[in-house]
Amino acid sequence: MPIYTAPTKDMQFLLHDVLKVTTSSVPGYSDLDPDFTNAILEEAGKISSEVLQPLNVIGDTEGCVLENGIVRTPSGFKAAFDQMKEGGWTGIDMPEQYGGQNMPYVIGTAISEMFSGSNQAFTMYQGLTHGAASAILAHGTDAQKDTYLPKMVSCDWTGTMNLTEPHCGTDLGLMRTKAEPQENGSYKISGQKIFISAGEHDMADNIIHLVLAKIPGGPDGIKGVSLFIVPKFLVKDDGTLGARNGVSVGNIEKKMGIHGNSTCVMNYDDATGYLLGEAHKGMRAMFTMMNEARLGVGMQGVSQAEAAYQNAVDYAKDRLQGRDVTGTKNPDGPADPLIVHPDIRRSLMDQKSFTEGGRAFLLWGASMIDAAHRNNDKDADGLVSLLTPVIKGFLTDEGYDMTVRAQQVFGGHGYIEEHGMSQFTRDARIAQIYEGANGVQALDLVGRKLAVDGGKHVMAFFEMVKTFCKENSSISEAFTTDFIEPLKSASKDLQAAGMYFMQNGVKNPNHALAGSYDFMHMFGHVCLGLMWAQMAKAAQSALDAGSSDAAFYETKLITGRYYMARRLPATALHLTRITSGADTVMALDAAHF
């Protein structure tokens, strides 16, 4: 049976040593003292390991079952969902006005990582509800908020997002779902949506679907898309549930992973829906949900890598295979443990340096979302919008890769189900696809985000890196060599790639688009390099202050040096690929593939 221990200590380090949340001007951050956050994280960690993690394999093996139009979730899911609701975990960062606890999003992100690491498929039910509630909070009328949010914050009602149709995924302008206006101000929604996570289940009294559809007579393409609230059961004026709406499950998708989540084909047959936001402005409202969801999906990449890494370390310390070439380490046994071998160490260090760096990147991103929403910080909003495709694309690509490396540590035992390692890989795989496939994230980054506000936000990022390097170059010669110089070099690679796009992309857009995926990964490595430099600075400060937990901080420095020396130089490879241009990418005629 796989293991999982919530990384609460690392989260505390990031919140207080690195982000220094209590000194922030963001409303609510001054309340996040170490004792308070530790109590919350420890309790969430306990639920993760004691309640959710034991259900992870059960969800994977049982899956969801469709019976007479009702989806039955795996054994134990409903009881665990009730426990999550009773503890108030479903509304941890939602407004108190609607029953939430109004904690900062950065705390909600840390908690979500633990829940997802212990059971990703289960955590998606409340995660999707949070996203749908956020869209209603941002774009709904007061009446809509009062009707839906209290029940969604508590997860008595859950929520979904309905975008994809059988003939259109990324290109939503091709959708056919129609919304016919009615005299009473409602709409009749008809069409089919696919890949709808948590589309139907037995854990909530009602499901509030947010559905993209086109109002007849509207603009063509994506400009004609509107967003609608379509409840499973209609809600009466007094808030009680009324008649069943015209929405049903056509099928449960058979998937590679996340078997415990009911991914459904949803059929809408003259279902009653209510416009959310403005007509023909559905994508604006949906992106409130999508941007939050993309950071959450990046979190899934880190969470699955963390869970897989913990199991790989445990196995590598216990499994006896071969002898250390430098001398026997286990003289009383027939062989030494796997962890003595350099190649195993390389794999584990790749995993450890990614998960800890990726977690820092996520929490930094979440803190920018808090600054944008709670402080109306336009610069923070611009920067996190720029980095969202990097958070989603880079962290899920790398997260999946790290689950494969963890599986590899087990050898043949990683390929069979007894040790449960394949589930981490299978569950992580979806994160590279949904909420905008990673290739689309890269195109969005290069084709749109870099140029927003005249390139102001990417220039602000470069200036941030430059300022950090300048202000911290005198810490010590070792710090400069190990952290500052590698970060400078990687940042220069990233700037050189951006300059290549500027000089060549206008003449031939394919030169930019063919390099977009490499650019996204290059950007991700620079972000993790910045995170590791900041973590190393914090760790060194703690050691200089005589911390009683020297081993923790020394481990941080060692892990950071590994990332800077062994992982960050990947930017040079990405730059070489980018500057090779699009000619070799586009040379082969389609008929010859």
Side-chain angles (χ1 to χ4, degrees), residues 330-389:
N330 180 33
D332 296 330
D336 291 329
L338 279 174
I339 202 165
V340 306
H341 303 303
D343 191 60
I344 295 294
R345 290 292 189 98
R346 172 198 57 79
S347 175
L348 294 175
M349 287 299 289
D350 281 352
Q351 296 166 53
K352 180 177 175 62
S353 63
F354 165 74
T355 56
E356 294 179 15
R359 179 174 301 116
F361 189 19
L362 281 169
L363 294 185
W364 178 43
S367 72
M368 285 189 279
I369 289 177
D370 278 330
H373 291 174
R374 290 171 172 249
N375 243 8
N376 197 30
D377 187 331
K378 300 300 184 184
D379 291 335
D381 186 55
L383 184 55
V384 77
S385 294
L386 168 71
L387 295 178
T388 292

Side-chain angles (χ1 to χ4, degrees), residues 1 41 73 346 375 397 463:
M1 178 69 70
L41 296 178
T73 52
R346 172 198 57 79
N375 243 8
D397 276 349
E463 188 61 30

